[in-house]
Amino acid sequence: TNTWIGVSNTSWSVAANWSLGRFPIDSDAAVVISNGCAYYPVLDTDRDLSTLAMLAGSSFSLTGHSLTILGDAAIAGTLTASGMETLTFRRNVDFTGGTFVPAQSTVVIGGTIPQWVTSAGESYYGLMVTNASATVTMADAVTAVHYRSESASVQYSGAVAAGDFRVYNAGGAVTQTFAAGAVYRMD
């Protein structure tokens, strides 16, 4: 596990800011953004991370760079996009206790195994589900300006609100399962 300790500055690539004395690489078991730091990380280039855990009270700015999380992500801090970044999750993502500032970013749910997405009241600018191999479960309400499902199977456990809602799959059948009694609104 490589933990952000933020003692030097906001630079992702400064070794002193990390518990392992180097910035994270995709083979690290986990990346943690801790809280109570003097400085919080600002992404310096497009990156891939093994997993991401942001503790409550922490923050992380993408600053125009795209980020791919290969494993699970637990976002209890503030994750901020500033432009048209792409934030890709290959496994489960949980925003419980966190804040997501989406700007005009696109969040991609793009794994190859079953995935759970817990939005916890956070909204997306662009949300794209591309997992064509397994079911994606939206564990709670989903709100997005632009939503596109390219997944073979999505289950919605709560309400869905989107300004633009599209479903597409070039590979064949598409199943979108909506929760009984939930509200689905397209603005």
Side-chain angles (χ1 to χ4, degrees):
T1 298
N2 202 354
T3 302
W4 173 269
I5 54 177
V7 296
S8 182
N9 54 37
T10 63
S11 180
W12 183 270
S13 59
V14 170
N17 287 324
W18 294 98
S19 64
L20 296 180
R22 61 163 172 76
F23 65 84
I25 56 176
D26 59 0
S27 62
D28 286 337
V31 175
V32 176
I33 309 298
S34 60
N35 54 17
C37 299
Y39 303 96
Y40 289 100
V42 173
L43 204 58
D44 57 351
T45 190
D46 295 353
R47 300 261 182 207
D48 291 351
L49 301 178
S50 55
T51 64
L52 177 63
M54 290 183 64
L55 303 182
S58 69
S59 68
F60 181 17
S61 297
L62 301 178
T63 61
H65 300 289
S66 295
L67 180 65
T68 298
I69 310 299
L70 304 170
D72 292 338
I75 314 296
T78 300
L79 180 60
T80 303
S82 59
M84 298 176 66
E85 299 94 335
T86 299
L87 181 58
T88 303
F89 296 101
R90 299 280 186 219
R91 297 200 69 183
N92 303 322
V93 59
D94 186 349
F95 284 95
T96 300
T99 300
F100 178 53
V101 180
Q104 292 183 314
S105 66
T106 299
V107 172
V108 177
I109 308 302
T112 56
I113 62 172
Q115 288 180 268
W116 282 81
V117 178
T118 304
S119 297
E122 296 305 305
S123 298
Y124 309 97
Y125 179 78
L127 179 60
M128 182 181 252
V129 182
T130 63
N131 184 335
S133 302
T135 299
V136 173
T137 301
M138 300 296 188
D140 55 3
V142 175
T143 303
V145 175
H146 303 284
Y147 177 87
R148 179 176 171 114
S149 175
E150 297 180 4
S151 179
S153 177
V154 181
Q155 293 182 343
Y156 303 92
S157 300
V160 177
D164 178 29
F165 185 94
R166 297 175 188 232
V167 177
Y168 173 78
N169 188 335
V174 175
T175 303
Q176 306 285 295
T177 306
F178 297 91
V183 175
Y184 305 96
R185 188 181 87 240
M186 304 312 135
D187 294 327

